[in-house]
């Protein structure tokens, strides 16, 4: 009788233990937060760092992908590996991609977040070999090779590629990412590699119905290294597979090259503030309800209304870095404009204000109101004319001048 009671007691305790374990598992599953959903609850866009490296962790390409699910639009920011600064994680001046090689993707993501002044919650890593595998799984990647490639690398490996618009398999896409031409600049090499990223995103969108087949998805995702669990990565991938990559306008960090300790480092313009402003502006354009603002590349004419030599040319370069097309940079009809003015030729108030916010100019006038500023021949070919006044310091308008009325003179 005593033995029977002990058995029943043990069974009862075991049942309680099973219930407790089941309850804990249920609560863990039900309370588990999807990091992608949580990101979207706090931020309207999804920001992901994509790093492609060789097997020795030398970075070949780094891009920040910004995606706005509501419109399926996005932006792509290239981070050149030779950006120089005093990196807190390294405690020295060096290239930014050294952070990845020495400390890994988390430290790298934090440094890039500081660079662009944006939180980047997700990271995706691809080795060059895994990029080849992914390429083959997608049936190849479409790229444009401007001229035939017949090059020999430092290790004696020969690189051969045909010219033209071609679909490259996994082996050839690795060649496309790795070959180095003698007369090719680092920026040209980064552009070529960024085109592979765009092609990859386009192929993922094109093949998304195949990718999310259960068996295929497992093999596909195993090629990527991510900082989230499998379920969250599937969610992230499902979002990115909707990105209209063909509409992307790739942008990169620009600056001045300087030799430091025997290596050429790129120091961003305006102590890095320009890249922060460009990224902020691009995200603001993505979030705009105006679809034209989201997708259109606006054409500008820049006129120098001051006596400072080269101001229109330098400002044109600044605005090209921000994603605008510049028809021409010329001198204005006179060199004594006190206030900078933006002339809106197309009646798009929101786009004009976006340009104005980027350079701190609130003196925006409509073409039909301020026709006395116009050169009729040039105005017909541009969306906005920017006349630089004495209040423009080369980067922004100082003083925040706002006209009291739309008919106020700009003298």
């Amino acid at each position: 009788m005593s033995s029977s009671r002990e058995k029943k007691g043990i069974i009862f305790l075991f049942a309680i233990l099973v219930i407790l374990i089941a309850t804990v598992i249920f609560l863990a599953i039900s309370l588990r937060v999807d990091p992608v959903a949580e990101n979207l609850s706090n931020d309207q866009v999804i920001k992901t760092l994509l790093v492609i490296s060789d097997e020795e962790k030398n970075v070949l390409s780094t891009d920040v992908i910004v995606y706005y699910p509501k419109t399926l639009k996005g932006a792509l920011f290239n981070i050149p590996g030779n950006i120089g600064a005093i990196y807190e994680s390294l405690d020295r001046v060096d290239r930014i991609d050294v952070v990845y090689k020495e400390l890994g993707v988390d430290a790298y993501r934090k440094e890039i977040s500081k660079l662009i002044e944006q939180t980047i919650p997700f990271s995706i890593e691809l080795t060059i070999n895994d990029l080849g595998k992914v390429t083959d799984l997608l049936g190849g990647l479409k790229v444009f090779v401007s001229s035939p490639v017949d090059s020999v690398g430092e290790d004696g490996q020969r690189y051969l590629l045909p010219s033209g618009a071609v679909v490259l398999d996994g082996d050839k896409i690795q060649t496309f990412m790795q070959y180095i031409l003698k007369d090719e600049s680092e920026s040209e090499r980064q552009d070529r590699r960024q085109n592979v990223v765009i092609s990859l995103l386009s192929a993922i969108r094109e093949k998304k119905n195949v990718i999310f087949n259960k068996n295929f998805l497992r093999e596909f995702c195993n090629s990527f290294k991510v900082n989230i669990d499998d379920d969250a990565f599937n969610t992230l991938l499902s979002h990115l597979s909707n990105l209209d990559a063909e509409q992307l306008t790739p942008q990169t960090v620009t600056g001045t090259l300087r030799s430091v300790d025997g290596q050429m480092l790129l120091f961003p313009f305006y102590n890095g503030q320009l890249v922060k402003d460009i990224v902020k502006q691009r995200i603001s354009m993505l979030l705009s309800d105006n679809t034209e603002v989201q997708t259109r590349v606006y054409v500008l004419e820049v006129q120098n209304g001051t006596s400072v030599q080269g101001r229109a040319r330098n400002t044109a370069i600044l605005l090209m870095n921000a994603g605008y097309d510049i028809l021409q940079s010329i001198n204005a009809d006179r060199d004594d404009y006190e206030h900078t003015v933006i002339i809106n030729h197309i009646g798009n108030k929101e786009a004009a204000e976006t340009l104005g916010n980027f350079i701190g100019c609130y003196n925006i006038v409509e073409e039909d109101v301020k026709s006395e500023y116009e050169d009729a021949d040039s105005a017909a070919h541009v969306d906005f004319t920017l006349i630089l006044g004495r209040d423009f310091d080369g980067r922004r308008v100082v003083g925040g001048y706002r006209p009291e009325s739309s008919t106020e003179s700009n003298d």
Side-chain angles (χ1 to χ4, degrees), residues 337-404:
Y337 278 83
E338 181 180 356
H339 300 297
T340 299
V341 59
I342 295 171
I343 304 165
N344 182 1
H345 301 293
I346 57 175
N348 190 327
K349 182 178 179 181
E350 187 174 354
E353 289 177 346
T354 298
L355 170 61
N357 289 337
F358 181 68
I359 61 172
C361 178
Y362 307 104
N363 186 19
I364 302 172
V365 297
E366 301 299 322
E367 181 177 20
D368 56 347
V369 175
K370 287 289 185 177
S371 57
E372 68 266 25
Y373 296 138
E374 305 297 342
D375 178 321
D377 291 336
S378 64
H381 303 290
V382 299
D383 300 315
F384 306 105
T385 297
L386 172 63
I387 303 177
L388 304 173
R390 289 195 296 267
D391 57 355
F392 187 74
D393 67 2
R395 169 62 188 92
R396 293 183 64 84
V397 173
V398 177
Y401 169 75
R402 297 173 186 266
E404 293 181 5

Side-chain angles (χ1 to χ4, degrees), residues 54-345:
D54 64 19
E55 299 303 325
E56 285 74 44
K57 294 197 71 173
N58 297 304
V59 175
L60 299 174
S61 176
T62 301
D63 289 277
V64 178
I65 305 166
V66 180
Y67 174 60
Y68 185 32
K70 183 178 178 180
T71 61
L72 311 183
K73 304 297 182 184
L76 191 66
F77 301 98
N78 176 250
I79 309 297
N82 63 335
I83 294 176
I86 301 175
Y87 294 110
E88 184 179 347
S89 55
L90 296 174
D91 196 27
R92 67 175 188 271
V93 176
D94 214 321
R95 297 169 55 105
I96 194 170
D97 57 9
V98 172
V99 176
Y100 180 77
K101 185 176 179 66
E102 294 189 7
L103 301 176
V105 73
D106 288 338
Y108 193 44
R109 181 163 46 87
K110 289 177 182 177
E111 292 291 2
I112 293 173
S113 293
K114 293 177 188 176
L115 174 71
I116 66 174
E117 211 169 57
Q118 297 286 332
T119 301
I120 308 173
F122 309 116
S123 63
I124 301 175
E125 299 172 81
L126 266 177
T127 65
I128 191 66
N129 287 338
D130 285 332
L131 174 62
K133 294 175 185 175
V134 168
T135 298
D136 287 334
L137 286 171
L138 292 170
L141 296 182
K142 301 173 186 177
V143 297
F144 180 77
V145 184
S146 58
S147 58
V149 175
D150 187 350
S151 177
V152 178
E154 295 179 355
D155 57 358
Q157 182 178 359
R158 191 176 183 185
Y159 299 118
L160 294 170
L161 286 174
S163 61
V166 293
V167 177
L168 301 182
D169 63 16
D171 288 338
K172 290 297 185 182
I173 209 70
Q174 292 181 65
T175 296
F176 189 76
M177 287 288 291
Q178 292 181 295
Y179 75 77
I180 297 175
L181 301 179
K182 291 181 180 179
D183 58 348
E184 186 181 44
S185 68
E186 183 152 358
S187 62
E188 290 172 328
R189 195 175 308 127
Q190 289 295 333
D191 287 344
R192 166 161 51 85
R193 292 169 175 174
Q194 192 177 43
N195 286 335
V196 172
V197 173
I198 294 174
S199 181
L200 175 63
L201 292 171
S202 296
I204 288 174
R205 186 185 191 201
E206 184 180 333
K207 300 293 179 64
K208 63 182 178 182
N209 291 335
V210 176
I211 290 172
F212 289 97
N213 175 283
K214 185 176 181 180
N215 294 329
F216 188 97
L217 182 63
R218 186 181 302 109
E219 183 179 3
F220 186 77
C221 291
N222 284 342
S223 298
F224 298 87
K225 183 179 179 182
V226 295
N227 66 333
I228 49 182
D229 63 30
D230 292 346
D231 290 339
F233 181 48
N234 291 345
T235 302
L236 176 63
L237 188 62
S238 70
H239 280 292
L240 295 181
S241 69
N242 291 319
L243 172 61
D244 187 359
E246 293 182 1
Q247 297 297 322
L248 288 174
T249 303
Q251 292 178 268
T252 190
V253 178
T254 54
T256 304
L257 286 171
R258 299 175 194 162
S259 178
V260 178
D261 295 332
Q263 58 181 342
M264 294 301 294
L265 302 182
L266 179 72
F267 290 89
F269 290 129
Y270 301 98
N271 295 318
Q273 187 58 47
L274 177 59
V275 64
K276 295 177 176 65
D277 291 342
I278 288 173
V279 173
K280 182 179 179 181
Q281 182 211 35
R282 192 69 190 91
I283 292 176
S284 175
M285 291 171 71
L286 277 180
L287 297 176
S288 170
D289 291 329
N290 188 326
T291 56
E292 188 178 12
V293 171
Q294 295 168 5
T295 58
R296 181 172 171 179
V297 177
Y298 292 96
V299 180
L300 274 61
E301 178 186 68
V302 182
Q303 297 184 13
N304 185 5
T306 76
S307 58
V308 179
Q309 295 296 316
R311 177 136 291 180
R313 182 183 65 252
N314 294 336
T315 305
I317 295 172
L318 172 77
L319 293 169
M320 282 190 288
N321 290 332
Y324 291 98
D325 276 349
I326 307 299
L327 179 67
Q328 59 182 352
S329 56
I330 59 175
N331 288 326
D333 58 333
R334 63 180 196 270
D335 64 2
D336 62 347
Y337 278 83
E338 181 180 356
H339 300 297
T340 299
V341 59
I342 295 171
I343 304 165
N344 182 1
H345 301 293

